[in-house]
Amino acid sequence: MEKADIAIIGMEVMGRSLALNMESHGYTVAVYNRTSEKTKTFIETMAKGKNIIATYDLKELVGILKSPKKIMLMVKEGQPVDNFIEALLQYLKPGDLIIDGGNSFFKDTIRRNKMLAEKGILFIGTGVSGGEEGALKGPAIMPGGQKQAYELIERIFKDIAAKAYDGEPCVDYIGPDGAGHFVKTIHNGIEYGDMQLIGEVVWFFKNVGMKADEIADIMAEWNGKDDILRSYLIEITADSMKKKHDGSDEFLVDRVADITRMKGTGTWTVQSALELLVPIPTIAAAVFSREMSQDKDLRLTMAKKLKIRMPQYSGDKNEMIKIAHDALYIAKISSYAQGIALLQAASKAYNFDLNIGRIAKVWRAGCIIRAQFLDEITKAYESEPDLPNLLAAPKFADFVDKNIRKLVNFVEVAHQCGVPALAMSSSLDYILQITSPVMPSAQVSALQRDYFGAHGYFKIGGPNKPELLLNEQGKVREFHTEWLLPGRPEKEITK
Ligand code: 6PG
């Protein structure tokens, strides 16, 4: 009997689509699902007549594979992944490979990698982005694990991955153990940011009196061939907003409830940012906005209790569309700058050794955040790998410098009309904060902390010298004021 090149466990939509994708590239794929009904249905329908072999127990599945065995899990993250790994172990030998292609938490992936490495089993935790269509026709793939493990799967991944406009496959070795799943998590966090930013602009347009189809036309224009905003998410916004509701004249978007659910990767992004002390206000705003969206009852109650009355927008609509376009682009740069800063911090903290330029390259096609814009990010990091922040890349810095007033204007006008713009304003404030040599709020709170808790403070050189005061050894000097003593003497803290 013919042996299979790879096995896929989990016959939900992503597992099925990946199996078909692999088969279409000439691989023989063995498939398995916990409940056999799904496997049967798949084999009798979509997989009919294809080099896809149905198996109904794990021993059979492993037995049918060429060695070293390659088994890809496409199951729900968490316990199901551990259960399958546990069950597979009895049939695997050192040198075999397990791949987890779900949206797993990266710390679980680190743990699983370590546990399996002790038994000689190779492990790849990989992000697979692009939804059903991507998995079927070409996803972006973000694998992390042993280099040697990646080499076993590299050919298959390169064959099935999306190809960017220059023909390069959207897959690259991301780094050790949890690196691939971490990068996929941040991809999703950035995805949340993009979606929220677009949503706020669309909602603003709606509030100034535009109809869904008008807004769809604007989005279609913003997705034009050479437009800086051109991206998959803008494209599907344009496409979906024209759909009518139930054969009526109403648009579906006007009937869809304002509740955005989420499965966890956005929250993990924010949790990681909190853990690693990296501010990502736009992505946090996106998560918080989804949370607020889910509290529909509370919002319905509050809208009755506290009626915020703001004037209708009376300015020039066309002018506002132009402003919103550039404002959205700046907000997007800011959001990506935050996500990348988080990747860099994690790279250090977890020894992922991430290459930002190459990650942006993987994201150019196949994934949900795919956009021309990612090419610019790659170029920025190729020419300056040690960029302190994406906003410092000359092309982006120049655009932001010339156009930031438009983002200020957008946020101002939105607020004046009573339209919330949490992510847009967070993007703006991130830029304002990161370019402040002195943050006045921080000066005030540093003093307050010392006042109520004797927590100490650092000093700067003077009104025009924002640099920290250092001692002769180059260490930051720390001070404390005795606030309750007469004369409030200040002393230097020496440790
Ligand atoms: C992708 C998507 C995919 C999925 C998310 C959605 O890259 O293909 O991000 O992973 O659609 O899980 O996440 P939420 O359900 O949290 O919005």
Side-chain angles (χ1 to χ4, degrees):
M1 180 168 184
E2 190 189 1
K3 290 245 171 183
D5 298 295
I6 186 163
I8 295 192
I9 293 182
M11 287 292 102
E12 293 300 334
V13 59
M14 292 297 279
R16 292 196 307 261
S17 303
L18 277 181
L20 292 170
N21 186 348
M22 287 173 183
E23 198 272 345
S24 75
H25 283 91
Y27 297 102
T28 301
V29 187
V31 296
Y32 171 87
N33 195 68
R34 191 174 52 86
T35 51
S36 53
E37 258 329 287
K38 285 220 162 111
T39 314
K40 251 198 207 129
T41 315
F42 178 55
I43 279 296
E44 284 164 10
T45 56
M46 287 177 260
K48 199 168 181 170
K50 298 191 190 293
N51 281 330
I52 295 182
I53 306 168
T55 65
Y56 296 96
D57 72 57
L58 289 178
K59 189 174 177 197
E60 184 195 359
L61 177 82
V62 177
I64 216 166
L65 291 173
K66 290 177 193 162
S67 281
K69 323 253 178 203
K70 304 174 195 73
I71 301 169
M72 185 157 185
L73 302 175
M74 292 304 298
V75 300
K76 196 174 154 11
E77 58 84 22
Q79 199 55 48
V81 176
D82 286 314
N83 293 348
F84 273 112
I85 290 177
E86 181 68 36
L88 283 168
L89 271 177
Q90 54 185 316
Y91 306 118
L92 297 180
K93 290 206 185 66
D96 288 340
L97 168 65
I98 299 179
I99 303 153
D100 172 16
N103 274 336
S104 288
F105 183 51
F106 78 103
K107 287 187 183 170
D108 285 340
T109 306
I110 295 176
R111 166 178 60 77
R112 290 170 186 143
N113 188 297
K114 190 163 177 283
M115 182 274 286
L116 287 167
E118 280 160 13
K119 301 181 194 305
I121 307 293
L122 297 165
F123 186 59
I124 289 284
T126 187
V128 178
S129 177
E132 179 179 1
E133 203 196 356
L136 186 64
K137 296 185 183 154
I141 310 179
M142 295 149 247
Q146 301 92 344
K147 194 81 207 272
Q148 173 199 4
Y150 175 64
E151 280 157 12
L152 284 182
I153 191 74
E154 186 173 4
R155 242 202 68 207
I156 301 184
F157 276 1
K158 282 193 169 156
D159 283 344
I160 65 162
K163 309 294 178 291
Y165 68 88
D166 55 5
E168 269 201 60
C170 290
V171 56
D172 200 356
Y173 174 69
I174 300 290
D177 48 51
H181 275 143
F182 187 81
V183 167
K184 175 58 170 45
T185 299
I186 306 313
H187 162 282
N188 282 23
I190 292 174
E191 168 188 310
Y192 276 47
D194 272 350
M195 292 166 76
Q196 180 66 23
L197 292 170
I198 295 171
E200 289 179 5
V201 171
V202 165
W203 190 239
F204 172 77
F205 286 160
K206 195 165 163 20
N207 271 269
V208 301
M210 295 185 206
K211 299 256 173 307
D213 54 349
E214 271 180 84
I215 303 173
D217 287 341
I218 298 170
M219 292 295 130
E221 203 180 309
W222 290 4
N223 195 46
K225 191 167 169 296
D226 292 318
D227 200 287
I228 44 181
L229 288 175
R230 183 177 171 83
S231 61
Y232 171 68
L233 285 169
I234 292 277
E235 178 194 326
I236 62 170
T237 309
D239 196 29
S240 60
M241 285 190 67
K242 282 208 162 160
K243 185 174 161 46
K244 293 277 174 64
H245 177 245
D246 233 358
S248 72
D249 276 346
E250 260 183 298
F251 290 100
L252 175 64
V253 67
D254 296 329
R255 290 293 290 271
V256 169
D258 52 338
I259 293 173
T260 317
R261 288 172 293 170
M262 51 188 170
K263 292 203 292 280
T265 44
T267 307
W268 291 344
T269 304
V270 178
Q271 280 168 342
S272 284
L274 293 174
E275 230 172 274
L276 296 169
L277 307 182
V278 181
I280 55 160
T282 307
I283 297 170
V287 174
F288 292 158
S289 299
R290 288 196 189 194
E291 289 168 2
M292 186 64 93
S293 84
Q294 290 174 19
D295 223 334
K296 179 81 179 170
D297 288 346
L298 177 67
R299 287 186 288 113
L300 286 170
T301 308
M302 285 303 292
K304 286 187 201 125
K305 300 261 179 220
L306 177 57
K307 290 195 169 58
I308 306 276
R309 273 175 263 263
M310 300 293 242
Q312 276 278 315
Y313 178 70
S314 56
D316 181 339
K317 258 203 248 169
N318 290 330
E319 192 52 33
M320 211 51 222
I321 294 170
K322 282 192 209 137
I323 288 173
H325 176 274
D326 289 356
L328 178 56
Y329 187 57
I330 294 180
K332 182 175 164 114
I333 299 170
S334 173
S335 178
Y336 279 65
Q338 299 162 35
I340 290 171
L342 180 53
L343 286 176
Q344 286 169 322
S347 183
K348 276 201 199 114
Y350 304 112
N351 299 314
F352 286 156
D353 198 20
L354 301 178
N355 181 317
I356 302 301
R358 293 177 69 152
I359 291 170
K361 238 180 181 174
V362 169
W363 290 345
R364 290 182 305 165
C367 65
I368 304 297
I369 63 170
R370 60 186 182 256
Q372 271 174 6
F373 165 73
L374 286 154
D375 230 11
E376 294 301 332
I377 299 185
T378 301
K379 283 185 205 148
Y381 282 92
E382 273 172 355
S383 61
E384 219 178 318
D386 292 328
L387 263 183
N389 183 279
L390 180 67
L391 285 157
K395 211 167 168 179
F396 294 132
D398 187 53
F399 190 91
V400 171
D401 186 33
K402 289 200 177 105
N403 296 289
I404 191 153
R405 273 159 209 275
K406 296 180 188 162
L407 180 53
V408 174
N409 197 207
F410 178 90
V411 172
E412 227 172 60
V413 175
H415 284 172
Q416 275 163 8
C417 313
V419 177
L422 195 63
M424 291 292 277
S425 58
S426 298
S427 275
L428 170 61
D429 279 316
Y430 178 80
I431 299 173
L432 295 180
Q433 283 194 339
I434 204 170
T435 54
S436 295
V438 177
M439 281 173 63
S441 57
Q443 280 187 315
V444 173
S445 53
L447 212 55
Q448 288 166 340
R449 284 183 81 247
D450 191 58
Y451 198 114
F452 63 66
H455 295 301
Y457 49 86
F458 308 127
K459 285 194 188 178
I460 53 172
N464 296 313
K465 291 189 189 147
E467 289 79 17
L468 288 172
L469 268 194
L470 305 178
N471 65 20
E472 276 157 14
Q473 289 81 45
K475 292 246 162 64
V476 187
R477 296 174 65 186
E478 191 176 350
F479 300 87
H480 165 60
T481 290
E482 296 286 0
W483 295 98
L484 301 180
L485 290 184
R488 301 182 160 182
E490 181 188 70
K491 61 175 191 199
E492 185 159 357
I493 303 170
T494 44
K495 282 177 184 147

